[in-house]
Amino acid sequence: MTTPAPETAPPPQREAFRLALRALASGVSIVASRDGDGLPCGIAMTAVMSLSFDPPSMLLAINRNASLAAPLLAHGRFSINILGDGDAEWCHQFVSTPPAERFRTADWADHPLGVPVYRGALASIVCDVDCADDFGSHIIVRGLVHDAILGEHRRGLIYLDGRYASAAA
Ligand SMILES: Cc1cc2nc3c(=O)[nH]c(=O)nc-3n(C[C@H](O)[C@H](O)[C@H](O)COP(=O)(O)O)c2cc1C
């Protein structure tokens, strides 16, 4: 006989949980969209994962207070721009720049589907929001893939133990 799972999980020890997450290596992407005035917006994200091939789909977890959250949900379309290991300093500059100024460089192109795409990305994936669910501090966004663009093949940029690092297959 199996014991039923508790309806709510016990609260994890917060500090142990924080430290445990530092051991989780994650690829770094810039997720970008447009606001109500058509201006580009975006943040760096590690909470990006592939969901399925059938249908082609992705999952994001965005903090509801992030500058990207409201515009992405309103616009309904976004790009996931997967960074290479040469982008660590560029990414740091991007996140350190005020949101309204992050796209004032020639590093971004306009995708025909109406979202910004990073010219230097290993790959960019353009999605439409399929659904979005609230979960505590975050919004879980499911995206249906409409296009994938391949850039130059390089090592990936990962975030591990609070630092950027390089990942090679
Ligand atoms: C490496 C890295 C990964 C991040 N991953 C996420 C993430 O997965 N989800 C998220 O909501 N914010 C993430 N952030 C935070 C956002 O990129 C951003 O710094 C934060 O939302 C504050 O910027 P804003 O004022 O434009 O919202 C990450 C930041 C860094 C540097």
Side-chain angles (χ1 to χ4, degrees):
M1 196 170 127
T2 53
T3 309
E7 282 186 12
T8 54
Q13 294 172 296
R14 289 185 77 88
E15 183 58 8
F17 181 47
R18 192 182 68 76
L19 292 173
L21 291 184
R22 290 178 73 99
L24 178 64
S26 307
V28 182
S29 301
I30 302 290
V31 177
S33 187
R34 289 198 183 275
D35 68 14
D37 296 323
L39 297 173
C41 50
I43 62 169
M45 291 190 61
T46 49
V48 172
M49 64 171 272
S50 57
L51 176 59
S52 69
F53 247 85
D54 189 14
S57 51
M58 300 290 292
L59 273 186
L60 312 175
I62 308 176
N63 189 300
R64 68 176 65 256
N65 295 320
S67 59
L68 176 68
L72 181 147
L73 294 176
H75 187 62
R77 184 167 286 168
F78 58 91
S79 64
I80 297 167
N81 301 275
I82 302 168
L83 301 187
D85 69 347
D87 289 320
E89 182 54 33
W90 182 88
C91 182
H92 177 68
Q93 289 294 327
F94 183 90
V95 296
S96 307
T97 301
E101 295 167 25
R102 287 179 190 158
F103 292 81
R104 288 184 186 166
T105 71
D107 297 331
W108 293 89
D110 284 323
H111 188 277
L113 289 173
V115 286
V117 283
Y118 174 44
R119 296 181 198 275
L122 299 189
S124 295
I125 301 171
V126 179
C127 299
D128 274 355
V129 174
D130 184 46
C131 68
D133 288 317
D134 290 338
F135 185 77
S137 56
H138 279 62
I139 302 164
I140 302 168
V141 176
R142 191 168 75 199
L144 288 175
V145 176
H146 283 275
D147 196 16
I149 307 151
L150 299 179
E152 187 191 330
H153 185 73
R154 305 192 314 275
R155 291 169 184 242
L157 181 65
I158 59 170
Y159 198 66
L160 172 65
D161 201 14
R163 281 179 288 239
Y164 293 106
S166 173

